[in-house]
Structures are given as C-alpha cells and as structure tokens.
Amino acid sequence: MSSHAAALLSAPRAALTRGTVDTPAPAADEVLVRVRAVAVNPVDWVIQGTSRITYRWLRTPAVLGSDVAGEVVAIGSGVTRFRVGQRVFGLATGTDRGRDPLREGAFQEYTTLLERLSAPTPDSLSDEEAAVFPLGLSTAACALFQPQHLGLRMPGDPAPDTTRGVVVIWGGSTSVGMNAIQLARAAGYDVVTTASARNAATVRDLGADAVVDHRSPSAVAELVAAVGGRPVVGAVALGAGSTDACIDVLARTGGNRLAMASTPIALDSLVGRRRLFPAMLPVFTRIGLGTLRSTLRARRRDIRANFVWGSSLRDDEMGPRLWGEVVPRLLAEGALRPAPAPLVVGDGLDTVQGALDRQRAGVSAQKIVVRL
C-alpha cells in the first residue's frame, strides 16, 4: 500500500504536525483526489481545541478539514459522474461521527470524497476559489432547503405565481451567509441581511436587496422595515447573539422558522487556554443556558428553531441533488460565485497550522486557503 503526507492531529489539543498515512483505495461511491487546495473553517480549530468535549468520538491521530479542491486520481466502481484526471471540489466529512478521519479528512495530499458531495470544477475557477465552497455552501443549503429547517424550494423548482417570500439572514458576510444569499436568490426569494458597513456592498452584490449594520442598536427594527410587509419564509442565524435577534425579527414579521448555525457564545477564548478544565465549565454552562433560553423564547412565539449540521446532507436526498445538479448549473449560469474570496496564506502542509491560527484570530469577508 502506498502512503502520502498529511497534517496530523496526533492528540487532542496538539498542534498539527506533518506525518505519513496510508493512501486509501476509493470505495464504490467515492473518488480519490489529489488535493491541490484546502480552506479553513472555524470548526477546524474548534475540533482541535475542544474535541475531548465537542467531538468525543474523534480518535487521534486524525486529519481535520472539510473543504477540498483537486483532481481525481481513482474512482470507485459505482462512480459515474467523474473520470480520472478531472478537477473536482467537494465536502470532506471525516471528522463526523462514524467516519474515518484518516481517509476522509481534507488536510492531506490525497483524500477520498463521496461522489454525492462533489462537483466538477469549472475552467473558470481556480482550485483556490473552488476550495472556499464546500462547507459554507452545504451548511447554507441545509439551513434553507432541508424540511427540518426552512424547508424552502430549491433552485430549479417551480415558483408559485405569488409575492416573492423573504429570507432573513443575520450574518450575511460569513461564509455560510454569502452562500445562503446566493442560493436563496437562485431559488427565487428576496434576502434581507446584516453585515458591517465595510462588507455591505459585497453582500449586496451577491444578491441581498437590503443590508443592515449588525452593530446598529436598531438592527432588528431596520430589518423589519426592510421586509416591508412581505411574507417572511424564515431566518438563518449566524454568529454569536444572532438567534435572539432573528427570533425578534420573526416575531415582528410573522415568520415561524429559524435555522441556527452558531452557538450563543464563541469558543475562541476557550480554545486558546492551556487547559480545558475548569475553564470549560462556565463557558459550556453559558452555552447550554443560552441555548435553552433562546429555544424557549422561540417556542413561546410559535417559531420552530433547530440547529444546522452542514454535513447532514450526506445522508438525505438533498445532498446528491445539490452537488450533482444545482451547483454545477448555478456555476455555469454565473448565479453562484466563490464567496468569501480566498485568502491564500501558505503553500504546503507545514502551513496548515498557521492557517488555523490565522482564521481563529479573525478574518472578514475572506476565507483562509492553503495550497498543497
């Protein structure tokens, strides 16, 4: 069996180090990909720093990472959409429960991708641009289209001859938010969202018809005014504090569905501590109590609120349709653009840990990318 290099998490909370792992053969529904670019998401450093609590099923050594772009070097016996040598991008789900992080993680020279969670990379996109899509795009799609969340029609579904519904997105300049704006618009909905003044033009260019500064003390009232009496089909909450704000908007506009994609409190301060215990106790207590309080607020207002798990589309009918039909068509039509813009911070596996640190330090309307 051949082997290749990987950025390994050798133990919980350890720094990523270069190591060697076996190169797998693809299963029947997989493609083996030579990785050319990876992107970093907040969940990567959250897993690295808190997996003993948040991802207790994850065994080390492990390969982290969800966002992959590269080219196919082998295909499984059941694969029909791809050929060897074809450029692809897709969602790696190795850190999920029941998956294999050594063969399915992104931060390595070769990884396996499920055919149903991959798409061909068009000639118009570089690998660095393609790598910004997978997790943000998948999470946005789950929030908008899965029945347990907003349950909206997907792009390409027939739209009724009635007033366009409005999607409220708190956090429009995040990776998930930018993809949600584009997907909602492609499906025939209007979008009102929040972003900083610096990023307002960017999210408006992606299709938002109204943008409110999330720092404004009257942001909720401004979003309600932007809705302007149109029917609100749901809200997507992105970022600390977004859930309660979205509940207030929905309560004042008649909306009754909320997709939550963030915890009430960010985990960056906890990740940076030398020891999780006892610092984790007040943090997770506040997260639990905050989530319970928000859930009860939503229930009292007849709002159905559920947390989004971006890779859950691996196991439903929406995932194959999104990646096999919708994404390729929207890219070809120009209705889906790589967003946030890639910010390349390094070349090679030895730079991945620095990329995680850079992401945790904070970026705005950009996505950290490493070339391999």
Side-chain angles (χ1 to χ4, degrees):
M1 178 177 290
S2 60
S3 61
H4 63 269
L8 286 172
L9 179 70
S10 60
R13 312 205 82 210
L16 301 185
T17 55
R18 189 182 183 94
T20 301
V21 297
D22 293 335
T23 304
D29 58 348
E30 294 176 337
V31 292
L32 179 65
V33 174
R34 172 62 172 98
V35 181
R36 297 299 182 186
V38 296
V40 176
N41 297 282
V43 69
D44 298 323
W45 50 259
V46 168
I47 294 173
Q48 181 181 38
T50 69
S51 60
R52 284 175 173 163
I53 305 300
T54 57
Y55 280 62
R56 298 185 67 175
W57 61 83
L58 186 68
R59 295 185 178 182
T60 52
V63 177
L64 308 182
S66 304
D67 292 342
V68 173
E71 69 261 5
V72 177
V73 295
I75 63 173
S77 60
V79 170
T80 60
R81 293 176 48 229
F82 301 109
R83 67 183 186 278
V84 172
Q86 187 173 12
R87 295 174 63 229
V88 298
F89 65 103
L91 179 66
T93 63
T95 55
D96 280 2
R97 189 189 298 271
R99 309 302 297 187
D100 186 342
L102 292 180
R103 70 190 306 275
E104 299 178 75
F107 301 154
Q108 53 186 328
E109 291 179 333
Y110 292 87
T111 192
T112 58
L113 295 176
L114 290 164
E115 180 185 27
R116 62 184 179 272
L117 297 185
S118 306
T121 305
D123 293 340
S124 59
L125 293 184
S126 66
D127 291 329
E128 294 82 3
E129 290 173 318
V132 307
F133 276 119
L135 185 58
L137 178 70
S138 296
T139 305
C142 289
L144 294 172
F145 307 129
Q146 283 182 331
Q148 64 268 37
H149 299 300
L150 270 57
L152 305 180
R153 62 181 179 271
M154 293 184 69
D157 290 345
D161 295 327
T162 57
T163 303
R164 293 167 65 99
V166 179
V167 178
V168 176
I169 300 173
W170 190 287
S173 63
T174 63
S175 176
V176 176
M178 287 187 172
N179 282 283
I181 291 169
Q182 296 184 87
L183 289 175
R185 289 289 295 183
Y189 298 95
D190 294 330
V191 176
V192 299
T193 188
T194 65
S196 66
R198 179 176 62 178
N199 295 324
T202 299
V203 297
R204 191 174 285 112
D205 187 54
L206 292 173
D209 61 83
V211 183
V212 170
D213 191 336
H214 64 275
R215 297 187 183 93
S216 170
S218 60
V220 168
E222 292 176 57
L223 284 173
V224 172
V227 170
R230 293 172 290 176
V232 172
V233 295
V236 181
L238 305 165
S242 60
T243 295
D244 284 341
C246 284
I247 290 172
D248 291 339
V249 173
L250 291 172
R252 294 170 62 176
T253 58
N256 62 6
R257 289 198 171 194
L258 173 60
M260 302 178 291
S262 301
T263 57
I265 301 169
L267 295 174
D268 52 341
S269 61
L270 182 62
V271 169
R273 290 183 175 269
R274 179 176 296 181
R275 293 183 176 87
L276 278 178
F277 187 86
M280 55 167 278
L281 296 178
V283 173
F284 282 100
T285 298
R286 290 172 63 195
I287 289 174
L289 291 176
T291 300
L292 177 62
R293 181 177 61 84
S294 296
T295 301
L296 291 175
R297 285 190 70 224
R299 187 176 300 170
R300 286 196 297 269
R301 291 162 173 80
D302 293 323
I303 296 170
R304 188 172 74 176
N306 291 304
F307 274 100
V308 178
W309 190 262
S311 57
S312 61
L313 47 62
R314 178 189 57 233
D315 304 315
D316 63 23
E317 296 179 355
M318 190 194 75
R321 185 179 171 200
L322 176 78
W323 282 94
E325 301 174 21
V326 174
V327 169
R329 177 169 55 81
L330 294 184
L331 287 173
E333 295 172 351
L336 183 63
R337 290 178 280 161
L343 175 62
V344 179
V345 300
D347 291 272
L349 292 168
D350 293 334
T351 68
V352 175
Q353 180 61 60
L356 267 65
D357 296 339
R358 177 72 178 273
Q359 210 290 330
R360 186 164 68 88
V363 292
S364 179
Q366 293 178 306
K367 194 154 188 180
I368 299 296
V369 171
V370 172
R371 296 190 189 100
L372 299 187

